[in-house]
Amino acid sequence: MKVRIGADASADEAEAIASAMAEHVGGEVSVYVGDDAEPAAVEDVAGDTNSPPGTGGTTGTVTPAADDLGPTDREATLRAEIAEILDGGPEKYKEQLPEEDKLFVRDRIDLWFSGDGNDFLFEDGRFAEFDADDQLPADGLITGAATFEDRDVHFMANDYTVKRGSMAAKGVEKFLRMQQRALKTGQPVLYLMDSSGGRIDQQTGFFANREGIGKYYYNHSMLSGRVPQICVLYGPCIAGAAYTPVFADFTIMVEGMSAMAIASPRMVQMVTGEEISMQELGGASMHARQSGSADLVARDEEHARELVSQLITYLPNNADEQPPKTPGRQPVASPAGIDSIVPQEPNRGYDMVDLIDRVVDQGSYFELSPDYGKEIITAYARIDGRPVGIVANQPNHRAGAIFPDAAEKAAEFIWKSDAFNVPILYLCDTPGFMAGSQVEKDAILEKGKKFIYATSSATVPQQTVVVRKAYGAGIYAMGGPAYEPESVIGLPSGEIAIMGPEAAINAVYARKLSEIDDEDERAEMEAELREEYREDIDIHRMASEVVIDEIVPPSELRTELANRFAFYEGVEKELPSKKHGTVL
Ligand SMILES: CCC(=O)SCCNC(=O)CCNC(=O)[C@H](O)C(C)(C)COP(=O)(O)OP(=O)(O)OC[C@H]1O[C@@H](n2cnc3c(N)ncnc32)[C@H](O)[C@@H]1OP(=O)(O)O
């Protein structure tokens, strides 16, 4: 290829352009300066292995240059300029990326948007800061549109080689435009974040402006519940950059690579004297286990992309659409096994996932926040091809008692599912909300309220299964009869009670029992009272009193749920007229 550049270009500049173009387009590139007949620089790279968008390769088309390029060959000049932009920030920062197993942002975009149903479509604002003296290609932020798993999506991706992906005026402008376009088109947004936050030394013009960085979060709020916002973190996302992942509906961090924090370790040390690494401060493990801000942790960049490609199959493009259906598949294990999974003894643990495996379509189980608030499972799955959001107690962890973190996790999951029209399935086996001084300090009442509020105000079809214990306010939060689910069904092992038998007998008969001196007599009396109590709370009694709608043979649970979800498809509960509730 021959490229002619302006007469004022130096020999060094000609060489840089030749090298950049050869690397990106492949083959021999000769660069001519002004009207010169001889090339000022020639570069040759075999093959065309990694052509970025706009210069050929996976998404563009290479237009062969005419043999004799005249001074008016604007296309070739433009291509050289684009190649320069696509090359990103200083080489020294690009060289550091492989040491951290990190992709250069343009290669990351290639990873996301190439292959079947995945195409890079176009980029906006590529020339941002083109005229800047400093090396600021695209102002460190790439925004555009693509197809991802056959869906149109908007995307943004920080370039960590440009001032550590920090955001200044032009990048901010691009980010805001991308968000505003998503509001118009109603298509999901992918945030591929790798940013040290606001560009501190260029803050005039973007920090507190009406259309400045603060507007990000305003736009995130406007997009919230309108289109799915999915965020993957690839590096330290600090301060201004750390709010996008928490505003997003779903956040994925890469183990050992991603981090997010309200302030950098340097800032933390300055303010508090605490010496702490970025990973300890806000790494993937911490956010997945302690703060709950990471929904999923990926092994590496490819795994992160794979997780999003699964997640998106359960979601519609926006709140006006229904989630996509697929052909139904048999469960991974036979529903006939459900009866033997659920122990008769109310205090014995078991893995609720074993039951779920026998209800949902094979290969469709997708759990979120598996390491946070583990006593409640929140997962997407499909039953006979229809997406459902599952909220299930996990008797294997803390006996399924609901602690504050789990309550909040469930509330947020229900809100998200409801916002995107994913019906909800509650699988109830809980002794209720946890009691004690620690959970009171951790705001069990406040967080329990959120859970109950989310269940109450969800308008999608909801189905509740009393698997075994449904005690205390646990059955309220878990879609109990008062919460207007489409139906509440029970397995023969089910019990619904104000509290468990032991607690109830202790609460009501403690004094009477203590007055019986003979130990055997007291134990006998206690057992009798407990038996009577259990008869009262048995699922058959509940069905007899029509508290619940049906008792279902365990082996028919999947078919029963499939029929009920199919029947109630698209049904929407009406909420009383109001601006919004006051529970956050
Ligand atoms: C809305 C409010 C906000 O967001 S205020 C922003 C708060 N952010 C911060 O305080 C983070 C500042 N940056 C850092 O702590 C470090 O750069 C981190 C991200 C930890 C990376 O460290 P390290 O790998 O050692 O890179 P480095 O510091 O040598 O930086 C490389 C080049 O990038 C620049 N840089 C980095 N962050 C910013 C920033 N936020 N604003 C402006 N420039 C930034 C550095 O100055 C350095 O530039 P140069 O290549 O030397 O010209």
Side-chain angles (χ1 to χ4, degrees), residues 93 160 163-164 196-201 207 238-240 264 266:
Y93 293 135
Y160 199 61
K163 302 279 180 193
R164 292 302 188 231
S196 66
R199 196 168 302 146
I200 300 163
D201 53 350
F207 178 60
I238 300 170
S264 68
R266 286 177 199 162

Side-chain angles (χ1 to χ4, degrees), residues 55-312:
T55 61
T58 50
T59 54
T61 46
V62 175
T63 314
D67 258 348
D68 183 12
L69 293 172
T72 57
D73 193 339
R74 289 172 294 221
E75 169 148 349
T77 307
L78 179 63
R79 283 188 181 280
E81 291 164 351
I82 291 173
E84 207 180 337
I85 295 167
L86 298 180
D87 212 25
E91 205 50 41
K92 63 176 178 177
Y93 293 135
K94 284 179 78 178
E95 281 164 8
Q96 289 170 355
L97 298 173
E99 291 162 22
E100 297 168 32
D101 289 329
K102 220 162 135 161
L103 289 176
F104 172 50
V105 66
R106 298 278 174 185
D107 298 330
R108 180 172 297 143
I109 289 170
D110 265 358
L111 171 72
W112 275 78
F113 310 123
S114 27
D116 262 4
N118 299 286
D119 280 312
F120 175 94
L121 296 177
F122 52 82
E123 180 175 346
D124 291 315
R126 183 149 58 184
F127 278 80
E129 291 292 10
F130 182 68
D131 290 334
D133 292 337
D134 221 343
Q135 278 196 17
L136 299 168
D139 203 18
L141 182 83
I142 294 136
T143 57
T147 52
F148 178 63
E149 303 298 322
D150 287 316
R151 309 272 194 102
D152 284 352
V153 295
H154 299 265
F155 74 89
M156 59 73 64
N158 303 107
D159 184 347
Y160 199 61
T161 68
V162 178
K163 302 279 180 193
R164 292 302 188 231
S166 59
M167 302 164 315
K170 307 300 185 304
V172 168
E173 171 93 36
K174 286 164 64 170
F175 192 109
L176 297 179
R177 277 190 209 166
M178 188 270 306
Q179 289 181 310
Q180 281 149 0
R181 284 169 182 157
L183 263 180
K184 265 196 191 168
T185 62
Q187 302 295 351
V189 185
L190 296 175
Y191 301 93
L192 309 181
M193 297 286 297
D194 195 359
S195 165
S196 66
R199 196 168 302 146
I200 300 163
D201 53 350
Q202 287 179 24
Q203 61 179 285
T204 324
F206 79 87
F207 178 60
N209 304 27
R210 276 173 182 263
E211 296 301 313
I213 209 165
K215 197 66 174 261
Y216 280 17
Y217 319 124
Y218 175 90
N219 285 347
H220 278 307
S221 308
M222 295 302 108
L223 285 164
S224 177
R226 174 71 197 137
V227 300
Q229 300 186 81
I230 301 174
C231 179
V232 183
L233 271 67
Y234 293 99
C237 291
I238 300 170
Y243 284 96
T244 291
V246 291
F247 267 104
D249 299 303
F250 305 97
T251 295
I252 291 146
M253 296 179 77
V254 182
E255 187 70 66
M257 184 189 286
S258 326
M260 58 175 146
I262 200 158
S264 68
R266 286 177 199 162
M267 175 75 82
V268 169
Q269 188 174 15
M270 205 189 81
V271 174
T272 69
E274 185 186 9
E275 255 188 77
I276 190 162
S277 73
M278 192 71 231
Q279 281 299 315
E280 284 171 309
L281 183 64
S285 290
M286 193 286 279
H287 281 302
R289 289 163 208 277
Q290 284 166 274
S291 77
S293 295
D295 293 299
L296 290 169
V297 177
R299 291 185 299 275
D300 52 30
E301 295 216 17
E302 285 199 23
H303 187 215
R305 185 197 177 282
E306 170 59 24
L307 290 172
V308 179
S309 74
Q310 288 176 37
L311 169 64
I312 205 161

